[in-house]
Amino acid sequence: MAYTTPHNSAPKGAFANTVLMPGDPLRSKFIAENFFDSPELVNNVRGVQGYTGWYHGKRVSVMASGMGMPAIGIYSQELFQFYDVTSVIRIGSCGSLDKDLHIRDLIIAQGACTDSRYAEQYALPGTFCPIGSYRLLRAAADEAASRNVHYKVGNVLSSDHFYNEANTLDWAKMGVLGVEMEAAALYCNAARLGKDALCILTVSDSLVNKEPETSPEERERTFTDMVEIALAIAD
Ligand code: HPA
């Protein structure tokens, strides 16, 4: 059967209105199997696993974004454009640039600064400022506040570089809270297509405090709060 998009074999209608996007396909599977009722695998092209199921009676989906802005750029664009998805909530990890944000704390990305040229495709006569959906942001902050989690709302840096020779800490001078690799492209796509997007991040390491890095297994476990917040605000 022909694919619906070059990268997604799910039939039209296979995704819910809201899709959660972790970077890692195995995390997509973990979320579907541990948080959804009746999860169904709807896409597995390149192992980018996508599932649709139910959460407290609400139809929801999860699909991996892959790492970096080219990857989330492709997958989120296709969900918005070809599957009529209305909201994408990225749930990922980041490095902290803020002394008060420690491993396992949450960042809700109000805005996404970037060193990427992703927005140059729009040929705007200035600098576009990628921001998260205010509706989702407000709901996520309310949800986080009602739980016993430490979180901050603010700017993040979406970088094209995990191994970076530039001084990432310069962004901290501008109050940027953390560094990750996908939010700016997601926010650009949502803006261009009139959709809602939000990025919620768990701090997995700190660039400003001496803290032991979390293992992949540990990160998977500490995902729970972030996943439950994202599922709670999904519509
Ligand atoms: N840089 C970019 N992305 C990340 C980091 C980082 O330090 N930590 C987790 N995701």
Side-chain angles (χ1 to χ4, degrees), residues 93-95 161-162 179-181 204-205 207:
S93 62
C94 69
H161 315 281
F162 186 87
V179 52
E180 54 87 66
M181 303 185 76
S204 60
D205 53 272
L207 281 71

Side-chain angles (χ1 to χ4, degrees), residues 44-139:
N44 201 11
V45 176
R46 294 177 183 235
V48 172
Q49 303 184 36
Y51 296 82
T52 295
W54 298 85
Y55 180 76
H56 295 183
K58 189 163 66 177
R59 190 169 178 255
V60 285
S61 295
V62 61
M63 191 174 87
S65 70
M67 283 187 284
M69 285 179 270
I72 199 165
I74 290 169
Y75 293 116
S76 64
Q77 171 109 12
E78 291 180 351
L79 289 171
F80 286 142
Q81 195 173 332
F82 299 111
Y83 291 98
D84 297 326
V85 164
T86 53
S87 302
V88 168
I89 305 171
R90 161 164 156 71
I91 43 175
S93 62
C94 69
S96 172
L97 294 172
D98 183 299
K99 283 200 163 49
D100 295 333
L101 282 167
H102 302 282
I103 287 174
R104 298 185 199 175
D105 288 347
L106 293 188
I107 297 175
I108 302 172
Q110 185 175 13
C113 309
T114 190
D115 56 23
S116 143
R117 296 175 61 189
Y118 193 84
E120 285 187 18
Q121 64 181 304
Y122 310 119
L124 297 167
T127 306
F128 180 71
C129 180
I131 56 170
S133 152
Y134 180 65
R135 179 179 69 82
L136 293 175
L137 179 77
R138 200 162 77 161

